Amino acid sequence: MSSPSVEHRQLSRAEPCLAGLTPAAVRQLRVAAHAIRDGAEGTARQALDAVLAMTPEHPEALRLYGILHTRAQRHAEAQAALQRAIAQWPDYALAHSDLGNAQQAAGEMEAAFASWRHACVLAPEAAMPWFNLGRNLQQHGDTDGAIEALQQAHALTPDFLPALILLGDALVHAGRFDDADARYRAALALHPACGDAWRGLANMKTRPLSETDREQLATALRRTDINPPDRIAMGFALGKVCEDQGNHERAFAALNAANAQLRELATWHAGAFHTHVDAMLAASARLPAPADATLGHEVIFIVGLPRSGSTLFEQILAAHPDVEGASELPDLEQVLSEESARRRQPLLQWIGIASADDWQRLGQRYLERTARWRQAKPRHTDKLPSNWLLSGVLAAMLPGARIVDARRDALEAGWSCYKQQFYRLPHFACTLTDIAAYIRDYERVMALWQAADPQRIRIQRYEALLAGPEHEIRALLAFCGLPFDPACLDYHQATRSVRTASAAQVRQPLQRDTARAAHYGTLLDPLRFGLGIPTIK
């Protein structure tokens, strides 16, 4: 028998390895794969053990065991299983790619990227290794590298929707809006009810959707075979196109329906959140004085309500030659989660007993995790809005950090949140009354912390920036301990990657006509009432 071609060998490295298995073993592997997908660990283990009993050390069974352990957050076991698979077949690209996933889950990012890149070398003609590399480069903030890898994946498999969507997202983050539009519309040509494509088009806020878009959305939404995530994303896009066309009642109806469907997936409870906020406030008030008051001086946190100008303020700061804009980082939450796992207690149970040395250790862990953002510049921003709830904790953990509280008119910001689809569920923005409750909790907490330590926390108002840009930018830079640089006045010319829904908005000069709430009249009265604003008569 002749040997397989080079191309065949390359492609097979990125396909499940079934060589040497009996039909019964193949059936068991399929059972295991479905069980892993469905979260049925017991069934998956039983099926994989059966395969390994028939064919010891088979690389595909070991690979699936690695995936199973990764999903259960058993990081050492996951890597051990995948290394055993690779020992049996060193050129198995899928196993190397999955090893990268396991290493990522364990926080070993350099090793993870080495594994993903090696998978691409082993199977350069297969789309999935390139897709996995591009997806993770994008999540890690390397937008240019992500575009290159995702373009490879798309070229190899033009009808692979996830690659098209993620490529569109990466192009948006790079400011290449025409190219992104083309990718999203190519996805819609393949699947007219692709919610992620409509979400991508709608999130380019400065580009109005057309009447043709509205007709296509309306047609797609009449279908009965659309899954809830697609229907929800299209509902938000329909709300945008109706607002773009000045049909505010229809826009409100579309957004109201989409938010109701989103809330059905996971309900946010205002009362429970209020109780949690009070507990965090009480616990944070008892923290020890920091061992090193300068720890964290490299970091500028930007917190607040989503859609309140946080990306704009980050763009201004990132235009400074000493500041890297890192966008919304998960590291602060993850460091605290690591400590909770180590102590086997939730945050609220250990926050009051942690010593100054404990908090210093956690602050150093955060700086270690985020060091890559300070390789080219000495300071970086971290603009995850929900970090406002941890402002008190930061006084002990990273006392040298500065916190910028991005504020916008509460009615405008709250309404803007209602128009934006959020993917982290449950989310407060699915009803107007919940939005108001969230804003009240956020504003009272930040007012307390800012009054107690104004040198550490600055309330930066969006409307003040509009009224006096240079004055506010100079004051913001001074608060952060940065010398004035004129590049910060021309922030919109910066070429950095912007990985939020405001990517298009911050690439244009300040706009003074961004208010939209007045167009909706009494429809927003539940939000006005909750915020203590007079309702419309």
Side-chain angles (χ1 to χ4, degrees):
M1 178 181 291
S2 61
S3 61
S5 68
V6 171
E7 180 180 1
H8 174 76
R9 290 201 307 272
Q10 289 174 335
L11 289 173
S12 66
R13 293 168 183 168
E15 297 171 354
C17 172
L18 305 180
L21 293 174
T22 66
V26 172
R27 286 194 296 272
Q28 289 297 316
L29 279 179
R30 289 173 179 157
V31 169
H34 283 98
I36 292 170
R37 182 197 62 192
D38 297 337
E41 180 170 344
T43 301
R45 281 181 173 274
Q46 185 176 10
L48 292 173
D49 287 344
V51 176
L52 291 171
M54 288 184 274
T55 314
E57 293 296 289
H58 193 278
E60 184 61 10
L62 293 170
R63 184 181 76 86
L64 291 181
Y65 244 130
I67 296 173
L68 181 66
H69 288 312
T70 299
R71 294 197 175 188
Q73 298 185 8
R74 294 186 291 267
H75 306 311
E77 294 94 328
Q79 293 190 46
L82 289 159
Q83 293 286 12
R84 285 165 59 194
I86 291 168
Q88 297 302 311
W89 193 9
D91 289 349
Y92 195 7
L94 268 186
H96 285 279
S97 185
D98 290 327
L99 177 60
N101 296 339
Q103 291 163 330
Q104 177 195 42
E108 301 170 13
M109 291 310 304
E110 287 188 18
F113 278 109
S115 294
W116 290 320
R117 287 192 169 96
H118 190 49
C120 292
V121 171
L122 290 171
E125 302 304 317
M128 281 307 299
W130 289 109
F131 173 75
N132 287 333
L133 176 62
R135 176 183 59 186
N136 287 288
L137 285 169
Q138 176 70 339
Q139 291 176 353
H140 208 58
D142 183 354
T143 297
D144 290 340
I147 290 172
E148 183 178 348
L150 291 167
Q151 283 176 331
Q152 287 276 11
H154 173 55
L156 291 165
T157 311
D159 59 352
F160 183 37
L161 274 176
L164 261 177
I165 297 300
L166 284 188
L167 178 54
D169 292 346
L171 290 165
V172 166
H173 298 163
R176 296 168 55 182
F177 302 117
D178 289 340
D179 291 338
D181 187 285
R183 299 312 189 282
Y184 292 137
R185 295 189 184 281
L188 290 173
L190 294 169
H191 179 32
C194 178
D196 282 333
W198 285 113
R199 179 265 309 155
L201 290 170
N203 272 348
M204 289 191 283
K205 306 292 186 184
T206 61
R207 299 169 69 98
L209 297 176
S210 68
E211 173 60 19
T212 299
D213 291 327
R214 189 199 65 77
E215 293 172 355
Q216 290 177 345
L217 276 165
T219 299
L221 283 167
R222 285 194 290 269
R223 291 172 49 173
T224 59
D225 60 342
I226 303 174
N227 62 41
D230 286 330
R231 186 173 295 278
I232 289 167
M234 287 192 292
F236 279 97
L238 182 60
K240 172 177 165 53
V241 71
C242 291
E243 183 175 86
D244 289 343
Q245 295 177 343
N247 194 329
H248 298 101
E249 287 190 6
R250 186 177 293 178
F252 185 87
L255 293 166
N256 198 44
N259 273 300
Q261 295 166 53
L262 191 60
R263 195 170 190 266
E264 287 178 2
L265 299 180
T267 302
W268 189 79
H269 298 286
F273 183 74
H274 180 80
T275 300
H276 177 68
V277 169
D278 281 346
M280 281 292 297
L281 193 60
S284 301
R286 301 191 300 269
L287 298 182
D292 177 3
T294 67
L295 186 67
H297 69 275
E298 308 95 324
V299 190
I300 303 168
F301 288 96
I302 304 173
V303 304
L305 197 68
R307 312 296 303 146
S308 288
S310 59
T311 302
L312 172 60
F313 295 128
E314 180 180 57
Q315 184 81 342
I316 291 168
L317 289 168
H320 195 282
D322 290 342
V323 180
E324 187 71 63
S327 196
E328 299 179 357
L329 300 182
D331 298 273
L332 180 58
E333 287 185 353
Q334 289 176 354
V335 167
L336 296 173
S337 294
E338 287 175 359
E339 183 70 2
S340 292
R342 188 185 73 83
R343 292 174 179 263
R344 298 182 180 178
Q345 292 179 312
L347 175 62
L348 283 173
Q349 287 187 17
W350 62 262
I351 189 175
I353 60 175
S355 68
D357 288 342
D358 288 328
W359 287 114
Q360 181 164 328
R361 170 174 53 83
L362 295 174
Q364 290 168 341
R365 172 64 176 149
Y366 172 89
L367 294 174
E368 173 189 311
R369 287 182 60 112
T370 58
R372 64 190 175 91
W373 295 107
R374 300 186 300 279
Q375 291 176 350
K377 301 179 181 181
R379 304 182 69 182
H380 82 271
T381 57
D382 181 338
K383 66 159 293 287
L384 188 66
S386 59
N387 279 341
W388 66 264
L389 190 54
L390 298 171
S391 295
V393 167
L394 288 172
M397 181 175 165
L398 292 162
R402 292 292 174 262
I403 301 174
V404 177
D405 177 5
R407 294 285 180 97
R408 182 183 173 196
D409 175 84
L411 183 66
E412 291 294 341
W415 172 237
S416 190
C417 284
Y418 195 69
K419 295 189 291 183
Q420 180 67 44
Q421 182 179 358
F422 295 96
Y423 291 88
R424 187 172 182 176
L425 298 176
H427 202 277
F428 69 86
C430 294
T431 75
L432 296 177
T433 52
D434 283 347
I435 291 171
Y438 184 90
I439 292 175
R440 290 197 305 270
D441 279 327
Y442 145 65
E443 288 189 344
R444 71 185 175 91
V445 167
M446 291 307 296
L448 287 170
W449 287 120
Q450 200 274 339
D453 197 352
Q455 300 303 311
R456 191 171 64 91
I457 301 173
R458 171 183 171 83
I459 295 177
Q460 179 64 59
R461 299 190 182 277
Y462 173 76
E463 289 78 15
L465 179 70
L466 294 182
E470 183 169 345
H471 176 270
E472 288 299 309
I473 289 172
R474 285 181 178 274
L476 175 62
L477 294 175
F479 166 76
C480 295
L482 293 165
F484 176 73
D485 192 289
C488 296
L489 299 177
D490 296 321
Y491 66 87
H492 55 284
Q493 296 179 6
T495 57
R496 60 180 283 264
S497 170
V498 181
R499 300 185 305 282
T500 74
S502 301
Q505 291 165 305
V506 299
R507 286 190 166 90
Q508 60 183 13
L510 285 177
Q511 304 295 305
R512 290 173 170 78
D513 61 346
T514 58
R516 297 288 182 270
H519 295 300
Y520 291 85
T522 59
L523 292 172
L524 300 192
D525 275 354
L527 180 57
R528 291 187 180 88
F529 181 80
L531 294 172
I533 299 171
T535 56
I536 294 178
K537 303 297 185 182

